Each structure stands twice: as C-alpha cells, then as structure tokens.
Amino acid sequence: MSGRVLMEGSEALARAAIVSGCRFFAGYPMTPFTEVLEHMARLLPEVGGVCINAESELEAVGMAWGALSTGARAATGSTGQGLSLMQESFSEITLAELPLVIFNMARGQQDYFQATRGGGHGDYRHIVLAPQDVREGVEHVQLAFHLADKWRNPVLVYGDYLLAHTQEALAITPMEFPALPAKDWAVDGSASGSGLSKNVTPLGVAKHGQEAFGQEGKFQYIATKTPLMEREVRVESGYLDDAETVVVAFGSPAKFVKYAIKQLRAEGHRIGYVRPITLWPFPFDTVRDAASNARVVGSFELAAGQMVDDVRIAVAGRAPVEFIGGVSTDSSGFGVGRLLEVGEIRTRLLALHEGRTQPQIPGYEKFTYQLQEHQETPA
Amino acid sequence: MTVDVEHCKGCELCIPACPPAVLTMSTPVNHMGYRYPELHPGCTGCAACLLVCPDFVFEVFRFNQPQVHEVPMTGAGE
Amino acid sequence: MTTLDTSTAPADARKIEQLKPDLLLTQEHHMCPGCGEPLAVRQFLETIQDLDVVQQAVAVAGIGCYTSFSGSMDVDLVQALHGRAPSVATGVKRMLPDALVFTLQGDGDMVNEGLQEVIHTAARGENVTCILLNNGVFGETGGHMTATTVVGQRTKNTIDGRDAEYHGYPILIGDLIAQLEGAAYVARGSVHNAGAVARTKKMFTRAFESQLRHEGFSFVEVLTMCPTGWFIPTAEGPSYMNETLGEVHIMGELKVDGRVNMTEELHAENVARQQEVEAKLAAGGLDRHEGR
C-alpha cells in the first residue's frame, strides 16, 4: 500500500499484521474484536495465509499454538472476556516459548490486570503494548511480532473500542527491524526418525537422549528470562520539568489527557504527564522520577483502579497518589463512555491539581453501592 | 525368541496370548522384583506375545530350517 | 517342561520382529504392568514407518499417562494441554498441509475436557488423524471415571461399578464422530489380544492413508487395559476390558468409504470373527498373519 487510504482501526491492525508476515489467525467473534477477525479472514488468503473462525476462543488460541509451533507468525485475539477463556493456554504458551501475538480489543481499560499480571496461572509475563491511536497501533502490531520472535514470548496489543472503529487515512508502511535468529526450534516433521526430533512443549520434557530441564528447571528458566525483557520498556512523557501535578494515563484516553493538559498548560497550570507505551514492562523509573518533583500524582484510567497500583509502586511514597479515573462505558457496557471526553477529563485534572475531591459522575448516584448494616463491622 | 527379562514387569499378558502355550512365568524374579516369562519348546514364531507385551521385552525369530518338537497335548489351544 | 535359553538370539534363525519400533528411542517407560497403551503406540509408530512417511510425521500429544511417550517417540512433537490437541493439530496441519499430523489423547483428555475440540475438528473435516487411547479412566490422576466409562465399570470413584442413575451414561465417541460429514475414516480397535492388536494396526494404516489422500478427518479409537485404574490384577485386564468397555464401545470400522456402520452389525461381525479364531485355535495353532 503506497498511498493513504481511509480505513477503520480494525482493518489497519489487520493489515499491519499481514505486512509483519502473520500467516495464521484464529478467533471468535466478540465485540469489539469481531472486525479484526473479519479483516484477517479477508486479507490472509490473499497472501497465502489461513484464517479460521474457531468454534470457541479456546480452540482459537489452540490453533494459533499449533501454527506457531511450525515456525509461522501467528496471532489470535478477542476482547477481555474472550481472553479470559484463553488464559490457561497463554500461560502454557509462554512456558513453551512460542511467539504469540494477542489482540485485546478491550471494552475499556479494565483488562489492565489481566494483561499485565497475567490472568493465567503461574509465573509469566507478556509484553503489553498500548497504542493511543490507530497510527501507533499499526506500529505496535509490527513491533509486537518482532518482540514476540525476539524473546520467544507472547506480546499483547491492548486496543479498544475507539481504536477498532475510528477511521483514519493511513498508509501501512512496513517497519524495519534488526535481524533475528532462525527458528531452529520449530517442528515440521523433517527431524522425525533422525534421533534428533524436537519437542515444542511447556513441560520440561526433552527427547530421550537429549538434556531435559524437567519441570523445576523449566520454571526457573522462564523466571530468569522474564526480568531480561524489562529492557523493552517504552514510555512517552511531557511537561514534566516543572510539573506540580503528574498524571499517568495509557491508550486512547491518554491522547485525550494530553490534549486536556495542553489546554491547561496554556492557562498556566503546571501539569505534566507520563504515558506508558508498554504496560508491561511498566515505566517505573519514569514515573518515579516524575513523582520526585511533584506534589501529587494521578492515575487516569477507564476502570475502577488497576494501573494505579503500578503507579503507587513506582512513586513509592514520594508523593500522594490519587485515582482520578473511573469505569466508563455506554449503556451496552461496550463503547465509549462519559469519561472519555476532554471536558470531563479537564474537570478531573483540575480537581487533582487544586486538591479537591473528584466529582461524582451525574446520574451515577443510583448505581452507588450502599453499605448495609450487617456489613458495617468486620466479621 | 529372546526375552529381555530385566524389563519385564510381570503382567503375564503374554502367557494366555501364546497359541501353543509355550510361555510360563518364572519362579525367580528380575531386578525390579517381577517374575518373567520362560520359553518352552514349541514356539511357532507367531509373535503374538510381542504384540501384547507392554514392555517391549520380546524379539521373535524364525529358524531357517523348521525344527520339530514334541509338545504335551495339555499345552495346545489354551 | 524344559525351558529354553532366551537370553541370546537363536542360531540359524532370522529376526522377524524386533524388540521395539525404530521410532521409539527407548523401550523404557513408566506405564504400569499390563498397561495397554504401549501396545497401541508400537502399532502406530510401526505404521508410520511402513507407510514411509517418517519425515512428514508431526505428533500432537495430550495430557495423560501416554504423555511421557513424547520423550521417547522419535517424532517431531507439539505438546498440547489436556483436551486441546485437536485445535493445536489444526494449526499445525494448516501450516504444513503435507505433513502427517496426528494427535495422541486419552479418553479423559479427549472426551471429557476436549469433547468440543474433537467434534469441531471432525465436523470441519480437518485433515488430521486423532488417536484415542480409551481405557475408561483418568489413569494419570488415579483412575477416576471419565465420559467413556461404561455402566458397571470399576474406577476409583465408581468402585462398585458405574451406576447409570447416579453417574449417567457413557459417550460413545467413535460412534458420535462417525455421524459427522467431515469424518472420512473412523475406526475403533482394541489391544486385548494379539488378533485385536493386528486388526488395530490395519486401522492405523487406513486412517493415515486417508489423511495422506486428503479425504478429511480420520479417527482411531483404541480400547486399552488399565488394570491399575480398574483395580484388578494385571492378568485379568484383557478379559475385564472385553466384559466392560468392549461390550459397549464396539470394535470395528465405524465409518469407511462414506458408509457408517451400525453398532449391532459390528457386534455381530466381531462375534463371528471370535468364533472363527476359536475354531482355528482348537484345530491347532494360528499364524500371526491370520490373527486378524
């Protein structure tokens, strides 16, 4: 694609996957991920790839697992709920050191924990990229495939409803990446019968005669690999030199936050921001340094408060940390909600900056849980 | 045939599998503590024992010239 | 009776059956005495060699006692999760259309956890072969009941026999799969005696050949003994299996050349076969090539 074409985010992400060499995709329809699947189904056969509408999310991730084992670039995705179903496989795919790329077209930012803590069992981490718009999404998808192969570890692209459905004029330009080693661990049958056939496995089982990690060794091995991936941290920040108030935000909402801060700066308010680009590894150092000179740090998220935990860890008491976001969806539970609006965000930023309590969203009083008498004292 | 007695786990599946009934379980045990099959004259080289052995204990041969043995009537067809 | 020396090869004789298949790196394994699973493993590994498709073979293993064969089978292998081998096999085959892709799963794995996966894979007509080792128990975790355990069968949690009223009925997975249009070859074998083992080998051959001809989904179920899970002496394994699993999961080719064979017909055929074999034994001996 040489010229710019108007396309929705879902299509842009799908095209980015194609130019990255992705040749297998499997998924299950679920809002707002469905269009990514539709575009992959249309685009993959054009390049000799395969896209399967799997009969369940569990089977989708299983199929991607199989494709990855042959050395192909493969991906799957869903929204948070569908990814919940795939968690066991995510954990084990990480142990098997397969380079899966996962799309979360999320319904908000409430999947932060799922993405960064790993919703599955055991010790594992995925690199998580959180694009703020379609343009960055196109870069992140390509980066995801590269990082996944670089580390032989899954990488998750955290998109959302807004990203999926926003149309932008884009040219999908392939990015250049450093060369990577050949996938000599992949299987294709050619080593069968040679005495040197291969196992692609999350278990520490090797072929008879080859050295095996065993389960104990395998867990150690992955645990020692994980911290090494922290060098892939990426972050953007601005207006921090003299900031009294620092706001941390990621993804599409971050773009709104930056816009609001730009306005507030023009009005003389000393507010700065940190935008984690990788949610894992989280930019602890950048947030810590920003907090060292600030009076207060706020975490803005479209959730009940998830990233704020990482902000608190980073700040480590250097300044008070306040959660200034909230759950924000429309009545369907999916879409863009009330908090994703510059005016709302300005109000919250100013309340934080001026030391006032955060406003209640009008109309949400009736949704507020009332403590009941039998709950008032601890059991 | 040959019997790899040290790998036998004493399951005894080969005993009834043998059509001329020329296998019986030993009295001594192998290093794992299992009794193992012993061969009597009359093996036809049918390899039924090999097919039913879970522990890959047998190798089956055919004599280049047939050898004739007399076997007791009570052994046949069991 | 005199015993013969079986420690060395007899003189003036040629080997007709070797100790283990070439594709098995070691004869050693941790299966219980009397386990039927190694008998099936031998047969499909030998079949891959006989068909001369060794360097196309990719296995996808499920989780069960047989998982340890992932280390001893000299076949490129992808380890899947419990029940999830069919979807992984799908991904492998779509990327390697000319490979011989087969799954190795137990009944707990395939029919409990993974029922959805195998049915969908069969319905889609994925060009892979799913191999089921069916002993009616979750062997690896101690021998509990599975979806294929038959009424009356002993398992760890049905020690007095599966009770239909309390535990429900078994799923006859082979029969179920045969109903699906995407399934090209479906067969159920057994390893309770040498004849059954030889017959099962033919089923593996036909299933793999079906895959190599790109006909669709192929399926070989093999009834195997688990004396440990059934809480019986090892020597009684085959007869117990015949009386329980074998009476319900009927041995035979359930679907071949587009024709689905009904259970009653297969049962009658099996009975006739058994009578034929018994007649031959009574007449004095059986050549292995006749033990179909």
Side-chain angles (χ1 to χ4, degrees):
Chain A
M1 301 205 63
S2 48
R4 298 199 308 164
V5 174
L6 188 67
M7 65 179 83
E8 68 173 2
S10 302
E11 181 175 352
L13 298 183
R15 287 191 181 277
I18 302 285
V19 306
S20 304
C22 177
R23 291 297 175 263
F24 184 88
F25 194 84
Y28 189 91
M30 196 155 180
T31 307
F33 161 78
T34 307
E35 288 78 13
V36 173
L37 177 61
E38 285 177 6
H39 291 295
M40 292 302 276
R42 186 170 48 85
L43 296 170
L44 266 172
E46 293 173 7
V47 295
V50 176
C51 180
I52 303 184
N53 259 50
E55 290 82 357
S56 73
E57 285 86 348
L58 280 173
E59 287 165 82
V61 66
M63 293 175 189
W65 184 332
L68 289 167
S69 307
T70 67
R73 281 192 162 178
T76 185
S78 184
T79 189
Q81 239 170 302
L83 296 187
S84 291
L85 291 174
M86 301 184 190
Q87 295 297 323
E88 188 197 15
S89 290
F90 287 164
S91 308
E92 300 289 325
I93 284 172
T94 309
L95 287 177
E97 295 197 272
L98 290 171
L100 176 67
V101 171
I102 304 161
F103 290 88
N104 182 0
M105 303 311 286
R107 293 171 175 182
Q109 299 198 308
Q110 296 164 280
D111 301 332
Y112 183 91
F113 280 156
Q114 184 194 68
T116 60
R117 266 68 181 147
H121 59 283
D123 283 308
Y124 73 98
R125 299 288 196 171
H126 295 162
I127 296 174
V128 181
L129 298 166
Q132 62 177 350
D133 56 23
V134 178
R135 192 172 313 268
E136 198 177 41
V138 167
E139 290 173 10
H140 283 185
V141 168
Q142 296 182 67
L143 180 62
F145 281 100
H146 174 72
L147 291 177
D149 275 347
K150 178 179 177 183
W151 292 99
R152 291 187 58 192
N153 198 88
V155 177
L156 186 144
V157 178
Y158 195 114
D160 65 13
Y161 192 94
L162 190 65
L163 203 96
H165 296 305
T166 299
Q167 300 209 349
E168 286 191 28
L170 293 165
I172 311 290
T173 320
M175 292 163 68
E176 295 262 319
F177 293 105
L180 291 170
K183 297 186 182 182
D184 57 3
W185 47 265
V187 293
D188 62 3
S190 60
S192 298
S194 65
L196 293 171
S197 52
K198 296 175 258 189
N199 275 354
V200 173
T201 174
L203 308 175
V205 175
K207 293 295 188 192
H208 179 78
Q210 294 172 31
E211 208 176 313
F213 275 152
Q215 236 11 63
E216 188 186 357
K218 173 72 101 159
F219 289 146
Q220 291 303 315
Y221 184 73
I222 299 298
T224 52
K225 172 168 128 178
T226 300
L228 300 175
M229 296 192 288
E230 288 172 11
R231 68 199 59 208
E232 299 294 351
V233 67
R234 283 158 168 78
V235 62
E236 185 213 338
S237 56
Y239 300 113
L240 287 179
D241 292 340
D242 63 345
E244 292 169 345
T245 298
V246 174
V247 179
V248 186
F250 73 93
S252 326
K255 205 165 176 182
F256 286 63
V257 166
K258 287 193 289 180
Y259 186 84
I261 289 177
K262 193 170 160 190
Q263 281 184 350
L264 291 168
R265 270 285 176 178
E267 294 159 26
H269 302 287
R270 305 215 313 248
I271 305 177
Y273 70 88
V274 177
R275 178 173 78 92
I277 295 177
T278 51
L279 301 182
W280 192 92
F282 187 78
F284 292 109
D285 290 353
T286 310
V287 174
R288 176 200 64 206
D289 293 344
S292 304
N293 303 318
R295 276 187 301 117
V296 69
V297 178
S299 177
F300 181 82
E301 331 159 40
L302 301 184
Q306 297 192 13
M307 184 181 64
V308 62
D309 283 10
D310 278 340
V311 175
R312 287 200 177 103
I313 290 172
V315 170
R318 290 176 182 82
V321 174
E322 249 188 73
F323 174 69
I324 62 167
V327 178
S328 171
T329 68
D330 65 12
S331 57
S332 71
F334 300 156
V336 174
R338 303 197 220 200
L339 284 186
L340 198 61
E341 194 267 310
V342 171
E344 263 302 327
I345 293 174
R346 268 184 61 106
T347 309
R348 285 166 183 276
L349 291 177
L350 275 175
L352 175 74
H353 186 57
E354 293 166 0
R356 292 178 281 106
T357 50
Q358 290 292 315
Q360 166 82 274
I361 295 178
Y364 272 15
E365 300 84 30
K366 61 178 183 286
F367 300 139
T368 305
Y369 191 86
Q370 303 298 332
L371 194 65
Q372 295 165 56
E373 215 182 294
H374 69 278
Q375 297 168 326
E376 278 170 14
T377 47
Chain B
M1 59 154 75
T2 56
V3 180
D4 182 359
V5 304
E6 292 305 321
H7 279 103
C8 175
K9 290 182 189 146
C11 75
E12 303 186 20
L13 292 183
C14 53
I15 309 298
C18 175
V22 294
L23 289 171
T24 56
M25 292 304 277
S26 65
T27 309
V29 295
N30 66 14
H31 81 283
M32 293 198 282
Y34 293 111
R35 296 186 301 134
Y36 46 84
E38 290 181 320
L39 180 68
H40 303 274
C43 172
T44 62
C46 78
C49 53
L50 177 141
L51 290 181
V52 302
C53 172
D55 290 283
F56 307 100
V57 146
F58 297 103
E59 271 191 330
V60 181
F61 300 79
R62 291 251 171 98
F63 288 114
N64 292 325
Q65 298 300 318
Q67 297 193 1
V68 180
H69 295 273
E70 260 195 47
V71 292
M73 276 301 292
T74 51
E78 274 288 316
Chain C
M1 291 200 276
T2 54
T3 61
L4 304 171
D5 175 21
T6 54
S7 60
T8 52
D12 216 19
R14 65 191 184 286
K15 192 189 299 191
I16 57 157
E17 293 291 342
Q18 55 191 45
L19 189 76
K20 62 172 179 62
D22 287 339
L23 287 177
L24 205 59
L25 294 166
T26 172
Q27 83 200 100
E28 295 185 350
H29 58 68
H30 297 296
M31 304 302 112
C32 301
C35 173
E37 296 188 343
L39 310 192
V41 172
R42 165 177 237 145
Q43 296 311 317
F44 69 71
L45 288 180
E46 285 182 359
T47 304
I48 291 171
Q49 254 190 304
D50 291 348
L51 292 175
D52 198 22
V53 287
V54 173
Q55 289 186 303
Q56 292 161 245
V58 181
V60 181
I63 300 280
C65 296
Y66 50 90
T67 301
S68 61
F69 283 109
S70 65
S72 56
M73 294 196 294
D74 191 14
V75 174
D76 274 348
L77 183 140
V78 184
Q79 179 64 59
L81 295 176
H82 194 60
R84 315 228 168 273
S87 60
V88 176
T90 297
V92 173
K93 183 77 184 195
R94 292 299 188 110
M95 295 288 100
L96 302 173
D98 296 323
L100 180 78
V101 179
F102 63 96
T103 71
L104 184 62
Q105 306 173 253
D107 48 293
D109 177 299
M110 181 191 274
V111 192
N112 280 51
E113 187 75 55
L115 185 64
Q116 171 183 28
E117 297 228 353
V118 68
I119 287 180
H120 283 140
T121 307
R124 275 200 314 275
E126 284 303 325
N127 203 33
V128 299
T129 304
C130 282
I131 297 176
L132 169 62
L133 302 175
N134 186 2
N135 55 18
V137 291
F138 283 107
E140 203 183 6
T141 46
H144 299 84
M145 184 185 95
T146 70
T148 63
T149 306
V150 303
V151 172
Q153 185 184 338
R154 278 155 69 96
T155 72
K156 192 167 190 185
N157 60 333
T158 64
I159 204 69
D160 296 322
R162 180 172 185 167
D163 173 0
E165 207 179 296
Y166 190 73
H167 295 118
Y169 299 90
I171 293 179
L172 278 53
I173 187 68
D175 301 71
L176 208 60
I177 299 282
Q179 310 291 325
L180 301 169
E181 199 164 324
Y185 180 80
V186 180
R188 184 184 288 118
S190 176
V191 294
H192 63 281
N193 63 28
V197 172
R199 209 171 147 199
T200 301
K201 178 162 192 204
K202 273 202 157 60
M203 295 172 178
F204 283 129
T205 304
R206 290 190 171 171
F208 289 154
E209 285 175 341
S210 175
Q211 181 183 155
L212 294 166
R213 287 194 298 261
H214 302 275
E215 289 174 354
F217 181 81
S218 47
F219 183 83
V220 181
E221 177 178 343
V222 185
L223 302 182
T224 58
M225 294 80 69
C226 180
T228 306
W230 300 340
F231 293 84
I232 57 166
T234 58
E236 289 174 27
S239 56
Y240 188 77
M241 186 165 82
N242 251 350
E243 291 155 25
T244 56
L245 286 169
E247 284 294 310
V248 175
H249 301 276
I250 302 299
M251 190 171 170
E253 289 183 322
L254 299 165
K255 184 171 189 180
V256 59
D257 297 330
R259 191 183 69 250
V260 177
N261 294 315
M262 302 307 292
T263 294
E264 300 78 45
E265 285 168 19
L266 290 175
H267 189 59
E269 210 181 289
N270 291 347
V271 168
R273 245 187 238 274
Q274 183 58 27
Q275 288 170 344
E276 207 183 299
V277 164
E278 279 165 7
K280 280 194 172 147
L281 279 172
L286 201 59
D287 187 292
R288 76 173 284 263
H289 301 294
E290 291 181 85
R292 283 185 69 248

